[in-house]
Amino acid sequence: MATVYTARQPRVGSAGGFGCGRRVPGASLPGERMGTRKKVHAFVRVKPTDDFAHEMIRYGDDKRSIDIHLKKDIRRGVVNNQQIDWSFKLDGVLHDASQDLVYETVAKDVVSQALNGYNGTIMCYGQTGAGKTYTMTGATENYKHRGILPRALQQVFRMIEERPTHAITVRVSYLEIYNESLFDLLSTLPYVGPSVTPMTIVENPQGVFIKGLSVHLTSQEEDAFSLLFEGETNRIIASHTMNKNSSRSHCIFTIYLEAHSRTLSEEKYITSKINLVDLAGSERLGKSGAIIALGDQKRDHIPFRQCKLTHALKDSLGGNCNMVLVTNIYGEAAQLEETLSSLRFASRMKLVTTEPAINEKYDAERMVKNLEKELALLKQELAIHDSLTNRTFVTYEAMDEIQIAEINSQVRRYLEGTLDEIDIINLRQIKEVFNQFRVVLSQQEQEVESTLRRKYTLIDRNDFAAISAVQKAGLVDVDGHLVGEPEGQNFGLGVAPFSTKPGKKAKSKKTFKEPLRPDTPPSKPVAFEEFKNERGSEINRIFKENKSILNERRKRASETTQRINAIKREIDVTKEALDFQKSLREKQGEYENKGLMIIDEEEFLLILKLKDLKKQYRSEYQDLRDLRAEIQYCQHLVDQCRHRLLMEFDIWYNESFVIPEDMQMALKPGGSIRPGMVPVNRIVSLGEDDQDKFSQLQQRVLPEGPDSISFYNAKVKTEQKHNYLKTMMGLQQAHRK
Ligand code: ADP
Ligand code: MG
């Protein structure tokens, strides 16, 4: 049975009594509530003797306290301080107590708690010969005098019988520690010594265990007893063959319990162990320092690992287990020094607090079985649901390769725009669709890389076929002009792959905005077209609006200039006519005679006309000046808008089709323009003035081939310059008049 998790819960109420949430009545130790901190229970058992020191050892009426009084003559030889009276208060003093009573008092509750999942430890401590082994093992030849150990085994099997709701297994081990060596008293091999059965103490989250120690499954009381006796026999044989002094060895008999509810839905199970420890004679316990340390409240750290005994018992000493100490003492005056020392130890141990906790584990096999059941049930539910909603065609099984390939194909067609929608069938399929999106996109990224390396080549400006392909691919600039450098040597632009054609992209663009860009980054001019329809649409609209205002003002300015020129010509003509009239009059000498200037009607009309023309001229001229100011302002706005548009586009382009730097380097054939590196200001290389005329010219010119562009461009520029000069000269002449 696999164990996946162990919880040592400090709270008991949550899952007492084999995970049933109930505790066995009377299971707690006397006067204690489980789950709260409690003390180690310390008892004293006095070995019966005919020579009991009545005048030195007195028991309290409460049967818990014991007073020691030293006679002076003894004190001189035995104790080296002045104190002669001691009083010890313990959990019970067992004098002339039967094995039966000792078990009832000391062990019964610890054992029943073990069946509820609490570890328990019962230790016998005391001077050699004081009755530790008698208390723990008892007389093996006399049933009545059997000790705690066989009685504990009996109780365990009796309780198992009383608890048919649980399947409980019992295992036992018997460990001897002698001179810091570990011996397996239940080794199936003939006893030969530690070198053959090397054992180590191992700690893991589940607790401490001894690697190499044999642990025996026992299904009935009798088997358990056999093991116990075998262990006792081995103990005696070993002490002879190894020439051991048995008073120096610690013996730990451990009962391991594991309880599973017979209710299969119960996934928790309980484990526990009961350690029954027969310690070496206390007169030699110097090495078991930690046992002493447990009784010393001032010590924060208990050196468990310092000796094998405390290390092996680490998870069963104090801490979260029920712990009982039986101190075996002599009742005779001659042993009073050791008796006193043992009682001091007992009263120190009584101060040690423990917090017993259940060892709960989860039965992984059972959990899997329960989950399988749950899954089967839910599948049935789903089948019913599907039949009610006419979804019987839906399957919920894992997809095979063919189904996954079909989804991959759907995703590809969807991205290409040849598939409108991917129908949703079930969650598994949706997850696979997303997965395939990732697969397709990463494939396309790789394709882009290799495509870029292969496809971007320079196009000669005289290669009309290539240029026409460029045009087809939509390489047009901000105003819809073909992009290029009229003065340059090469177009230096990449041929955009056909998959980036705006028409093809339209579908996927609508459905998936930013994350699903076409597989290959389009060239900047192509992308610019897209940008103008997308994120740049608003700024582009403003740009166009400003430009149309500018063009309209320019047109008006040009019309005004023409009118001014016409007026100027009229003025000139009128002036000539007037001069002629004047010269006629001079010949006649009329106004010399009269001393008056006589103006005939024709001349008068001419003067009026001239005056009117000059007025018109000034008004028109003023209009022109206003228009020019407006044009200048509009030009400024248009420039700003264009700048914004290109800047935003650059950001957008980098965001959408950024090409890694290392790739740009790889694409660097001798410093020509490369995709992703086309300087924005070179996309729109024509001046605004030129573009107005140029846009009209283009329709006319393009059939002749792009070669003619620079020709017409130059022509327009020259014409404009000429017109401008003419206008300026005309205006200057008019001013001088
Ligand atoms: P320890 O293990 O502490 O060295 P033992 O348990 O071996 O001491 O006891 C020594 C002797 O005293 C044994 O022969 C044992 O039968 C006897 N003995 C000890 N305690 C009792 C008791 N309470 N009643 C009868 N005999 C006892
Ligand atoms: Mg002994």
Side-chain angles (χ1 to χ4, degrees), residues 45 47-48 127-134:
R45 186 181 197 188
K47 187 182 170 184
Q127 150 183 34
T128 300
K132 297 185 295 297
T133 305
Y134 182 81

Side-chain angles (χ1 to χ4, degrees), residues 418-484:
T418 54
L419 183 69
D420 281 343
E421 279 173 350
I422 297 174
D423 289 328
I424 289 171
I425 296 166
N426 59 29
L427 264 182
R428 209 191 277 277
Q429 175 249 1
I430 292 171
K431 279 187 176 176
E432 194 53 48
V433 166
F434 279 108
N435 189 37
Q436 289 305 318
F437 263 116
R438 191 180 288 152
V439 169
V440 169
L441 285 176
S442 82
Q443 280 171 357
Q444 287 181 345
E445 269 167 29
Q446 283 171 15
E447 279 165 25
V448 166
E449 196 170 320
S450 54
T451 305
L452 283 174
R453 282 173 203 278
R454 271 185 288 109
K455 285 200 174 175
Y456 280 88
T457 46
L458 294 178
I459 299 166
D460 191 275
R461 66 197 278 263
N462 294 317
D463 185 352
F464 290 148
I467 289 160
S468 130
V470 170
Q471 278 178 276
K472 253 193 193 166
L475 290 175
V476 283
D477 74 5
V478 62
D479 293 310
H481 304 316
L482 183 71
V483 176

Side-chain angles (χ1 to χ4, degrees), residues 451-460 465-476 482-484 490-498 500-501 520-527 653 659 667 669 672-679 683:
T451 305
L452 283 174
R453 282 173 203 278
R454 271 185 288 109
K455 285 200 174 175
Y456 280 88
T457 46
L458 294 178
I459 299 166
D460 191 275
I467 289 160
S468 130
V470 170
Q471 278 178 276
K472 253 193 193 166
L475 290 175
V476 283
L482 183 71
V483 176
N490 296 309
F491 271 110
L493 287 163
V495 178
F498 287 106
T500 65
K501 278 186 180 178
T520 318
S523 65
K524 281 213 169 181
V526 172
Y653 188 88
I659 296 171
L667 289 164
S672 53
I673 298 163
R674 299 175 301 283
M677 288 193 81
V678 181
I683 293 174

Side-chain angles (χ1 to χ4, degrees), residues 1-9 14-15 19 206 258-260 265-271 359-368 370:
M1 193 83 41
T3 298
V4 289
Y5 177 67
T6 306
R8 288 175 174 270
Q9 295 181 340
S14 62
Q206 275 80 46
E258 193 173 300
H260 293 260
S265 59
E266 180 59 54
E267 287 165 1
K268 281 183 206 157
Y269 68 100
I270 278 165
T271 63
N359 297 307
E360 265 181 344
K361 293 173 185 178
Y362 283 86
D363 185 332
E365 216 172 285
R366 235 179 231 195
M367 282 167 87
V368 169
N370 288 337

